[in-house]
Each structure stands twice: as structure tokens, then as C-alpha cells.
Amino acid sequence: MQLLDGRATAQEIREELKNAVNARRAQGGKTPHLAAVLVGSDGGSLTYVTAKVKACDQIGFDSSLIQYDDFVSEEELLAKVNELNNDDDVDGFIVQLPLPSHIDELKVTQAIDPLKDVDGFHPENLGKMVLNLPGFLPATPAGILQLLKRNNIATSGKDCVVIGRSNIVGMPLSIMLARNTDPGNCTVTLAHSRTKGLKEKVLKADIIIAAIGRPGFVTADMVKNGAVIIDVGTTRVKDDSKKNGWALKGDVDFEAVAPKCSYITPVPGGVGPMTIASLMINTLQSMELRGK
Ligand code: GUN
């Protein structure tokens, strides 16, 4: 079994980006600028957004963090999106999800200028992804593809089961893995809450991607020997042995499953850092797409 070290792979990407930015600056180019909008006080969202801003600092990108409390109106948030769309110094921006229930996420997502949509959530970018046209790829699926590619894990012709059909991960990833690209060319099964015979389907898979947010859902009896496992789950679980009182748990029963796999991602330190690295790639690309 080999650990798929997302921290190390993400660090490799950060170094490449740092060099690319320095080379551009040496020629008088602009510094890429990512803005992040955070609504509310969800601990997980705050952790992720803080990590994104920190990654910008490490690479030498400019960043802005715009924070609202839970009670911000949809109107005010849409006005901020409009302002960021028109701010020439901001190359790309994200609105961290989930949003409070009184705000329509799709409306907010659709209000973002597709050329600044570095999360790749806008319908225009998702459509381009399906057609394999240039555009922004959603950060977590793109990060998983980078992790497979940079660790020389072949995907062509492989049977892949993606568990979970979220708009952010499972749905786009199932399409990206099925496209005629490298990585890609998998035969993909997208499994969800209505799937019949899930265990039998997962048992046949060469590549298993778990993205449902249910700690320890994938157990050893669901995994064939030599499978590649990508664990997208990051649920906070009470853990009194930790200083902050909780631990991050993946969707895979790591201890039991790891001995059966060829490759497996840890949680934390697997997919999470790769999501952030993809966002940084998209931010540099956003500056280039805007001709800056
Ligand atoms: N919530 C969970 N993952 C993400 C992400 O990649 N981007 C945004 N904007 N929100 C998220």
C-alpha cells in the first residue's frame, strides 16, 4: 500500500506556481489576486477559507477575505459579487459554500462572472467542462485528477465508482473521469442514496472515490485487493484526545481498508491540500484569461 500524499503533491504545485508568478513579475506582470467571500461562522468553512488565503500568501498571490455574519441579505451578497466582478484588480473569487438557507446558492453562483469563477461552479464553466473546452474546472475534482496524474496512477480503461453526486465533487468528477482525457477514460459508476447493490458495485472497482460525508462508510469488505482509494470526506467528529475537541474523519475506514489498497489518500493530508492547489492554478489561469 502506498499513501497518496496530497500535502507533498500540493507543495510541488505551489513551488511551480511561485516560480511562474516570480517569472511574470520579473517581466513587469501583475500579481494574481484571489478574493474569498465567507458568510457565517461555520468552523469548517472558516478553516477552509483561512487555508486558501494562507496558500495565496505562501505562493506570493494577493488575497482578500470578505466576511459577513449569518444574517447578511441575499441582496447585499449579490451586490458584493457584482462589485468583485467589476474590480479590475481581482482576477478570481470564490463564495464559500454552504450559504445560509435564506440565500439562493444557485443565484449567487450564477451571478459570478464566469471569467472570474475560479471554483468552476458557474453553469457556463460546468458546461465547458462537459464538452472539454477551456474553462475553470471545479477545484476538488481537478485536484483529485492532479493527484492521480502526478503519482502516475493510470486511469484509462479502469472501472471507477464515485460514491456521492454532489454538485461540487461527485457529479463533476464522474464526468471528468469519463472524458476522453488523461487522466480520464474510466468507465464510471456514479453511486448515490438510491443505488442498488452498492457493495457489489464498489467491490468490482479499480478506483473508488468516496464523497458522501459519512465517516467510515467504505469498509474493508467493499474493497477489492489492489484498488485505488480517494477519500474526499472531511467530517468533524468529537475526539476528546485532541486539543480542539474534534478530529477530521474521512468516508473510508482507513485502518481496515489501507492494507488492501494499492494507493489510498489519508484524511487529513490527502484531497484537502489538492483542492487548494487547484484553486491556486485556476487563479493564475484567471489572470491569464483576462489578458493581465
Ligand atoms: N465548500 C466545500 N468545498 C468548497 C469549494 O471547493 N469551494 C467553495 N466555494 N465552497 C466549498
Side-chain angles (χ1 to χ4, degrees):
M1 182 276 292
Q2 227 174 303
L3 210 57
L4 277 175
D5 186 343
R7 278 197 190 112
T9 309
Q11 178 59 26
E12 196 180 291
I13 294 171
R14 277 202 294 270
E15 288 302 320
E16 290 169 12
L17 290 171
K18 207 190 276 184
N19 292 338
V21 169
N22 286 340
R24 284 180 156 271
R25 261 204 227 103
Q27 294 178 336
K30 181 184 178 300
T31 300
H33 182 173
L34 172 73
V37 180
L38 175 64
V39 179
S41 51
D42 175 72
S45 290
L46 179 62
T47 307
Y48 296 136
V49 171
T50 306
K52 290 168 185 178
V53 169
K54 199 170 139 200
C56 285
D57 292 346
Q58 285 172 346
I59 300 170
F61 287 7
D62 289 335
S63 64
S64 308
L65 174 58
I66 300 125
Q67 273 185 279
Y68 292 104
D69 65 29
D70 279 302
F71 306 106
V72 65
S73 68
E74 185 179 279
E75 198 181 5
E76 193 175 343
L77 189 58
L78 286 170
K80 176 53 76 176
V81 167
N82 191 42
E83 186 187 315
L84 292 168
N85 282 341
N86 292 300
D87 184 337
D88 203 39
D89 191 60
V90 172
D91 297 296
F93 66 98
I94 64 161
V95 178
Q96 187 68 21
L97 304 180
L99 293 171
S101 57
H102 67 279
I103 297 176
D104 183 342
E105 278 184 5
L106 186 60
K107 202 166 168 184
V108 173
T109 303
Q110 287 189 278
I112 297 173
D113 179 346
L115 284 175
K116 292 193 175 190
D117 169 39
V118 283
D119 257 333
F121 293 169
H122 190 285
E124 185 172 316
N125 282 314
L126 286 171
K128 285 180 170 168
M129 179 271 285
V130 173
L131 297 172
N132 202 13
L133 295 171
F136 295 113
L137 296 172
T140 300
I144 291 170
L145 261 56
Q146 284 278 340
L147 192 61
L148 294 169
K149 191 182 178 87
R150 287 173 182 256
N151 288 279
N152 302 311
I153 297 173
T155 57
S156 184
K158 304 287 183 190
D159 289 326
C160 173
V161 173
V162 178
I163 311 172
R165 57 179 160 186
S166 70
N167 289 341
I168 293 181
V169 185
M171 184 64 81
L173 183 57
S174 67
I175 297 167
M176 285 160 73
L177 282 167
R179 296 185 310 178
N180 185 5
T181 51
D182 180 27
N185 284 316
C186 287
T187 304
V188 180
T189 300
L190 180 55
H192 47 75
S193 54
R194 306 285 174 94
T195 297
K196 284 187 292 183
L198 177 71
K199 181 180 162 185
E200 290 68 31
K201 288 183 167 74
V202 176
L203 254 177
K204 288 190 187 142
D206 304 306
I207 302 171
I208 301 165
I209 319 245
I212 41 169
R214 284 174 60 180
F217 181 83
V218 176
T219 48
D221 60 334
M222 296 168 78
V223 176
K224 80 170 173 188
N225 284 324
V228 175
I229 309 255
I230 307 289
D231 190 349
V232 188
T234 51
T235 307
R236 284 184 174 192
V237 173
K238 192 174 175 314
D239 185 340
D240 292 333
S241 71
K242 302 274 182 192
K243 228 192 314 183
N244 50 16
W246 52 266
L248 272 191
K249 284 277 176 245
D251 289 348
V252 177
D253 179 1
F254 185 91
E255 299 301 324
V257 169
K260 296 184 84 173
C261 306
S262 54
Y263 294 92
I264 186 166
T265 57
V267 176
V271 173
M274 293 303 299
T275 296
I276 297 174
S278 297
L279 183 65
M280 299 298 122
I281 292 173
N282 283 356
T283 301
L284 181 60
Q285 193 193 333
S286 68
M287 199 178 82
E288 289 165 353
L289 275 177
R290 296 172 61 248
K292 299 287 170 180

